[in-house]
Structures are given as C-alpha cells and as structure tokens.
Amino acid sequence: AQSVAQPEDQVNVAEGNPLTVKCTYSVSGNPYLFWYVQYPNRGLQFLLKYITGDNLVKGSYGFEAEFNKSQTSFHLKKPSALVSDSALYFCAVRDILTGGGNKLTFGTGTQLKVEL
Amino acid sequence: GAVVSQHPSRVICKSGTSVKIECRSLDFQATTMFWYRQFPKQSLMLMATSNEGSKATYEQGVEKDKFLINHASLTLSTLTVTSAHPEDSSFYICSARTSSGGSYEQYFGPGTRLTVT
C-alpha cells in the first residue's frame, strides 16, 4: 500500500527566508509524486510533480521539490518565502507498480505561515 | 487550461433531503473523475473513482447507496448525497484526470461546502 507522511502540522517562516515543507513516502514500486496547495475554502491547486528524470523539479510560484529515492523524500522548497505563500500544502503519491487505480494518496497537510 | 468547476460552491439543506453536486471539466475530456471528502483541518479522503460510462468504484467504508455517483459524459460527474444527515456536512472536492498526453496530475475543482441542518 502507498502512503505519505508530512511530519509537520505547521511551518512558520519569516518573509524572505527560505522555506521547506517535508514529505516522505512509501510505495511498492516507483512513485509519481505531487505537491498541491490549498487556500481556505478552496480546492487544491497543482504546484509540481515528479514522474521521472531530474530529481529537482521546478513548479509554479517559484516552488521546487527534490526527489530523493534513498531517503524516500520529496521535500517542497522555495528560496524566498512570501506572505501570500501562507496556505495548506499537501504532498501526494501514486504508486506506478500497482497502478493504484489512478488513486492519489495524500499526506495530512502542512500549514505554512509566512510572517512579516 | 485544465479547469474543473463545481456547482454549487456551498449548499445548506435540511436533514433527510438529497443534494446533488456537479463536477465539470471545462476544457478537457475527463476519462476519470474522483470525489473526495475533507473534514476541517484534515486531509482529503477519497470516496470514489468514476470512469465515464461505467459504475463508480467506492472506497471501503463509503456507502454507495448514500453517495450516488454518475459519470454520464466525459465532462460531467455528479455526486448525490441522499437522505443527508448532519454528519454528512463536509467539504466535497472533485478532481478529473485525462488519459491523453501522458499527464498524470489530477485537476481539482474548487470544492462544495455542504451543511446539513
């Protein structure tokens, strides 16, 4: 079975500082990995994905994530945080081997708070 | 591109009534649509997966007779909450996926806030 862990319920960072939101995963085969962002009372917005290729993936709004197979991690990063980045971030995985029936498994979410 | 809409955005209904939520893919054909439920400050829980023209596949613990899903076309799926009760109050989010172009991400709708009184 596939699973995702986001160990931090909340991350606080000052505007202008780099931010990292952690994600680790567990799958039987090779993973498809995704990051989504959710603003209050809104659906999820796609940020970036890793399917294959370069381990460093660049996405929307200046976000990037690094796929680390040995550590089974896919941490989300941004060099300089903005107050407007404050939102709920979800990591998700789909297991290629099992197919997962196209199912995404989501982590529990990390609330990012960027302060002036 | 890849826009998914949901209607209504919020609905309040009385206990015992039924509510229908629509999910539309506006600029692509969605071979597969997913329905999620999200409780406050919690993750998304997959309720069911539907493929156009076939019966939905429900996740364990989800009552298929209570949450009726129809995926009659490549751009529309509906979720009907039958005989709603206050415990059905939640945020319902749909997503859509196309099988073309090697795209693997799901595109999410804006969600529907259901309140059952």
Side-chain angles (χ1 to χ4, degrees):
Chain A
Q2 55 196 44
S3 66
V4 176
Q6 292 181 243
E8 303 154 316
D9 289 338
Q10 182 163 319
V11 169
N12 296 321
V13 64
E15 187 175 53
N17 284 359
L19 69 86
T20 299
V21 182
K22 296 179 181 177
C23 171
T24 58
Y25 65 90
S26 175
V27 295
S28 301
N30 291 320
Y32 291 162
L33 293 156
F34 305 84
W35 275 102
Y36 291 88
V37 60
Q38 184 181 34
Y39 294 95
N41 295 310
R42 303 292 298 275
L44 273 65
Q45 294 179 33
F46 171 77
L47 280 179
L48 51 81
K49 66 184 178 188
Y50 171 82
I51 303 298
T52 186
D54 289 341
N55 290 340
L56 184 63
V57 178
K58 293 188 182 296
S60 306
Y61 313 118
F63 284 93
E64 59 188 31
E66 186 166 10
F67 171 62
N68 188 316
K69 189 172 183 178
S70 63
Q71 297 184 5
T72 62
S73 67
F74 190 57
H75 302 331
L76 181 70
K77 299 182 179 184
K78 186 174 182 180
S80 179
L82 299 172
V83 172
S84 57
D85 292 330
S86 299
L88 186 59
Y89 290 81
F90 289 101
C91 181
V93 68
R94 179 183 164 209
D95 189 337
I96 300 174
L97 181 64
T98 65
N102 294 322
K103 288 191 289 188
L104 286 177
T105 298
F106 286 86
T108 50
T110 298
Q111 185 70 48
L112 174 66
K113 187 173 182 180
V114 182
E115 299 169 310
L116 290 170
Chain B
V3 178
V4 176
S5 70
Q6 276 185 246
H7 178 79
S9 58
R10 57 180 64 226
V11 57
I12 301 173
C13 70
K14 292 187 176 181
S15 186
T17 61
S18 296
V19 174
K20 180 184 283 188
I21 303 170
E22 292 186 349
C23 176
R24 293 182 186 273
S25 57
L26 299 185
D27 50 3
F28 67 100
Q29 294 186 325
T31 50
T32 306
M33 285 186 168
F34 306 84
W35 286 96
Y36 295 86
R37 185 173 179 177
Q38 185 182 29
F39 292 102
K41 298 184 179 180
Q42 293 191 27
S43 188
L44 279 71
M45 301 300 295
L46 180 65
M47 298 175 66
T49 302
S50 73
N51 292 298
E52 184 265 338
S54 60
K55 289 185 178 181
T57 301
Y58 290 81
E59 295 299 301
Q60 192 172 11
V62 178
E63 299 175 61
K64 62 180 181 181
D65 293 330
K66 180 169 185 60
F67 298 100
L68 301 178
I69 292 171
N70 183 281
H71 192 167
S73 78
L74 285 171
T75 59
L76 174 64
S77 176
T78 60
L79 167 68
T80 301
V81 183
T82 63
S83 187
H85 289 97
E87 57 264 31
D88 298 324
S89 299
S90 190
F91 195 52
Y92 293 88
I93 304 175
C94 75
S95 71
R97 180 180 180 276
T98 177
S99 62
S100 65
S103 173
Y104 296 100
E105 65 260 32
Q106 293 180 20
Y107 302 98
F108 286 81
T112 297
R113 172 75 61 193
L114 170 63
T115 303
V116 185
T117 61

